[in-house]
Amino acid sequence: MPMANNRFFLFGRDMAVDLGTANTLVYVRGLGVVLNEPSVVAVNVKDGRPLAVGAEAKRMIGRTPSHIQAIRPLKDGVIADFEICEKMIRYFIQRVQQRRFAKPRMVMCVPSGITGVEQRAVMEAAEYAGARKAYIIEEPMAAAIGAGLPVHEPTGNMVVDIGGGTTEVAVISLGGIVTSQSVRIGGDELDEAIISYIKKEYSLALGERTAEEIKIALGSAFPLEEELHAEVRGRDLVTGLPKTIVVSTEEIRKAIGEPVSAIIDAVKITLDKTPPELAADIMEQGVVLTGGGALLRGLDARLREETDVRIVVARDPLSCVVIGAGQCLEEFETLKRVLVTSSAR
């Protein structure tokens, strides 16, 4: 019986949700990160019924019959399909919150550049999915907290969070964002750039998943000591038949050059807008990279060359945002001032 009571207590806890364009991560208070799934829902278009969510749904992308559609309800870091997004959040809550009638407080992570309407949509999606009260935290602030930066001290902390749909660049001091830049360019744009390049150069059609695999295997932002090669399979646009080609890291670097340059430009613009005292702190402490884009080979070296500032990749870049939001839950009263609140309906 004590075990049952303990379980009842554990699964009634508050949670933080990093609602990402590519992946959704959930942090439960006292337990840490308990869920990391792709932000994809497979829906039966005939009746609107969700058939699969997360990793199972992602496996269906590009492989479904006409009556099943694999939908990504978030685009560029914001909700593109409210109804599907609400179903996805509800499913993830039920996965980690086994108490049927539990109504947790939820901290939702959002890009710093979203509008008030988009912010409200995230709050409402959380409330409709079962949150007692929803709070909003900006992703660069959560990423900085998750990366262990001293955000409440009067020193300049610069974080670059490169997600699936957006890149967030922010300078933080005394618990607030001093200057920031949010560009709707991230991992998805890198995938699209690879698809376009292969189509143009080789007349080969690729799917989203294949492009993502190429990015992970061959993507780089800076010349490598040893250039790599890999086979790529797709559909020949001339003959309509399957075809295999061999591409190199050099070609993929050229393919993703434009979106990578846009990310670097966002960092430069933010540095340019930073007050001199804080800029001096950043020169001393460096810039921290978080998000899945931080794993792109040579991105730190490219940024270091372009900005002449020390670049540090966070220890766990993929989880920094949700860990930072989770720390806000663990020390709720201390960190409440970095959250935006909304009363549940």
Side-chain angles (χ1 to χ4, degrees):
M1 192 68 183
M3 281 295 288
N5 286 339
N6 187 40
R7 179 171 169 162
F8 187 86
F9 173 70
L10 279 178
F11 289 96
R13 290 187 175 180
D14 302 332
M15 58 178 69
V17 180
D18 176 12
L19 197 60
T21 307
N23 294 289
T24 295
L25 288 86
V26 178
Y27 180 109
V28 173
R29 188 173 188 174
L31 297 179
V33 181
V34 294
L35 183 138
N36 182 355
E37 294 265 357
S39 302
V40 184
V41 182
V43 177
N44 186 330
V45 294
K46 292 177 181 175
D47 55 13
R49 187 166 45 90
L51 301 174
V53 181
E56 192 183 341
K58 187 176 181 180
R59 283 197 293 272
M60 298 181 185
I61 291 176
R63 292 175 170 159
T64 58
S66 59
H67 69 284
I68 297 172
Q69 197 175 358
I71 298 170
R72 296 176 66 179
L74 291 111
K75 183 165 175 59
D76 298 333
V78 296
I79 295 172
D81 188 322
F82 184 87
E83 191 180 334
I84 298 296
C85 186
E86 183 259 313
K87 285 177 180 174
M88 183 180 77
I89 297 171
R90 189 184 294 275
Y91 172 82
F92 288 147
I93 290 173
Q94 287 168 354
R95 278 271 303 274
V96 301
Q97 194 83 273
Q98 294 185 3
R99 276 179 63 196
R100 193 173 172 188
F101 300 107
K103 281 196 165 283
R105 284 185 301 192
M106 285 175 66
V107 174
M108 308 294 291
C109 306
V110 299
S112 60
I114 72 169
T115 64
V117 172
E118 290 167 339
Q119 198 175 83
R120 184 71 207 156
V122 173
M123 285 181 164
E124 286 182 358
E127 290 165 6
Y128 289 140
R132 179 172 83 248
K133 185 175 274 192
Y135 297 87
I136 289 285
I137 183 169
E138 292 179 323
E139 283 171 6
M141 176 63 79
I145 294 168
L149 296 178
V151 295
H152 291 293
E153 292 179 16
T155 56
N157 301 282
M158 188 167 180
V159 66
V160 181
D161 178 45
I162 308 163
T166 59
T167 293
E168 309 284 319
V169 188
V171 175
I172 297 164
S173 180
L174 288 169
I177 293 175
V178 178
T179 183
S180 67
Q181 186 82 4
S182 179
V183 290
R184 296 196 170 183
I185 291 172
D188 288 352
E189 276 65 30
L190 300 184
D191 297 345
E192 285 168 19
I194 290 168
I195 290 170
S196 298
Y197 179 85
I198 299 294
K199 184 179 180 181
K200 184 182 169 187
E201 296 294 320
Y202 294 98
S203 297
L204 195 74
L206 297 182
E208 283 178 37
R209 285 190 62 196
T210 307
E212 187 182 15
E213 286 164 8
I214 294 169
K215 177 184 69 181
I216 293 166
L218 299 177
S220 64
F222 201 71
L224 306 176
E225 285 182 19
E226 187 184 340
E227 300 291 351
L228 308 171
H229 294 78
E231 286 188 347
V232 174
R233 294 178 181 86
R235 179 170 54 83
D236 192 315
L237 292 168
V238 178
T239 65
L241 300 173
K243 181 181 169 184
T244 302
I245 60 167
V246 176
V247 294
S248 67
T249 45
E250 203 172 345
E251 286 179 283
I252 300 305
R253 189 160 57 248
K254 182 182 171 185
I256 62 175
E258 204 173 309
V260 167
S261 294
I263 291 168
I264 291 164
D265 287 345
V267 175
K268 287 179 176 176
I269 290 166
T270 309
L271 282 168
D272 187 48
K273 293 193 294 184
T274 304
E277 294 291 340
L278 297 180
D281 294 336
I282 292 163
M283 284 296 292
E284 190 179 324
Q285 296 172 19
V287 175
V288 176
L289 297 184
T290 67
L295 299 173
L296 183 68
R297 287 184 194 84
L299 182 61
D300 52 344
R302 173 85 179 272
L303 275 167
R304 194 178 303 118
E305 185 184 77
E306 298 253 1
T307 61
D308 207 24
V309 177
R310 189 167 68 95
I311 308 293
V312 180
V313 178
R315 193 172 57 191
D316 186 3
L318 290 166
S319 304
C320 273
V321 171
V322 78
I323 288 170
Q327 284 179 21
C328 291
L329 282 176
E330 303 290 355
E331 304 168 49
F332 196 76
E333 294 308 317
T334 313
L335 294 171
K336 196 171 180 180
R337 59 195 171 119
V338 303
L339 303 171
V340 177
T341 184
S342 162
S343 297
R345 295 168 186 278

